[in-house]
């Protein structure tokens, strides 16, 4: 049953409208143009590291799939791309294979195809008791616990008793041999929640904010009664706002994701304070078009990032985190109401 649901998710996400109607907020973020960039665009260095692994670019394919025979080929293609580009790869929830070991190969294929890449395992918060088995299933660099209260609330079979999760996270961190990441699935993480997660021992946070794939939307397509999913389609903290909230609230690495669709948005997310950027849906769609198109997607994306970095005079990611930007519109309103400082970005290069 879980396995069938995995296939349904893959098909729905590639063929139906599953994205937020409200935006990520990155349109409210303007990088300050430099007429004198003093940088050679061809020498821009995007390399970084996350949880002890070097990455050639600050990119992660965030959790998508595994657990259905059809997902093996998807993970194979994603892993080949991640390996060639030396970027990170997140696997989909491993619950299906913990419960049915015959499905393990749909995940382990990723390590076979990308022996050196940063590979992140995945388990849902409602199934946290399966964490150590997920972590031991294969050679993983980290395990992500996904938080998906929106999806649980909308889906008919959802688990809506979330009492004790924070305590369970603390226990899981203690009992897991690899670093544990917390990730949302598209509704964002607030600064307050991020602080609780950091205190519980989480080693990195993926904000997975609102503006991209909406799990209320996915569940709307799956339900007979569409009214609940339609009502909550746009629920969540936008990715731009969540990126600021979380990166101003914790010291651990921050992954910005949720609706990031081009290299300019990625650069904005990094300039706002993220350490790495993640994407799921556009990568899945490109993978269905073939491995060459998938690689072109990333090459193009990286080139787009380099143009933005050139235009703000940032020759590496550290310089990018000191670049000037202005936060306007709804994102500024949100952040100011929430007590976050939006001005610190505006003239920081001259400080
Ligand atoms: C996902 N996502 C997801 N996340 C997770 O933690 N475990 C999972 O098993 C899945 N499964 C999954 C399947 C499919 C088909 C998609 C498109 C996505 C969520 C994903 O990692 C990401 O957080 C959101 O999709 C938001 O990013 P994008 O898609 O807007 O770039």
């Amino acid at each position: 049953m879980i396995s069938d649901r995995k296939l349904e998710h893959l098909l729905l996400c590639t063929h139906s409208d599953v994205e937020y109607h409200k935006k990520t907020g990155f349109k409210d973020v303007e990088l300050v143009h430099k007429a004198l960039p003093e940088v050679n665009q061809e020498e821009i260095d995007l390399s970084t590291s996350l949880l002890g692994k070097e990455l050639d670019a600050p990119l992660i394919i965030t959790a998508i799939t595994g657990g259905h025979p059809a997902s093996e080929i998807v993970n194979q293609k994603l892993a080949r791309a991640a390996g060639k580009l030396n970027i990170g790869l997140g696997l989909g929830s491993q619950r299906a294979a913990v419960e049915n070991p015959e499905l393990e190969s749909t995940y382990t294929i990723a390590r076979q195809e990308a022996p050196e890449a940063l590979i992140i395992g995945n388990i849902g918060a409602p199934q946290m008791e399966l964490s150590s088995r997920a972590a031991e299933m294969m050679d993983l660099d980290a395990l992500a616990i996904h938080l998906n209260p929106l999806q649980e609330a909308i889906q008919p079979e959802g688990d809506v008793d979330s009492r004790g999760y924070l305590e369970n996270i603390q226990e899981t961190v203690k009992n897991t041999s690899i670093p544990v990441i917390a990730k949302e699935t598209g509704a964002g993480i607030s600064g307050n929640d991020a602080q609780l997660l950091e205190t519980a021992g989480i080693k990195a946070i993926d904000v997975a904010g609102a503006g991209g794939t909406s799990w209320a939307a996915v569940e709307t397509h799956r339900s007979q009664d569409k009214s609940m999913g339609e009502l909550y389609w746009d629920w969540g903290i936008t990715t731009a706002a969540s990126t600021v909230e979380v990166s101003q609230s914790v010291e651990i690495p921050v992954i910005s994701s949720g609706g990031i669709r081009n290299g300019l948005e990625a650069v904005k997310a990094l300039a706002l304070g993220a350490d790495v950027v993640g994407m799921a849906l556009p990568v899945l769609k490109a993978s269905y078009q073939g491995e060459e198109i998938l690689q072109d997607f990333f090459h193009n994306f990286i080139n787009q990032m380099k143009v933005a970095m050139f235009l703000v005079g940032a020759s590496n990611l550290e310089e990018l985190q000191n670049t000037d930007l202005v936060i306007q519109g709804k994102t500024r309103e949100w952040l100011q109401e929430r007590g976050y400082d939006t001005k610190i970005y505006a003239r920081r290069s001259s400080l």
Side-chain angles (χ1 to χ4, degrees), residues 85 122 160:
L85 294 151
N122 191 285
V160 288

Side-chain angles (χ1 to χ4, degrees), residues 62-64 92-93 122 146 183 185 208 212-213 215 259 261 279-281:
T62 58
I64 298 177
S93 165
N122 191 285
H146 74 250
K183 82 180 277 292
T185 46
T213 307
W215 284 91
R261 299 294 177 256
M279 278 176 289
L281 191 60

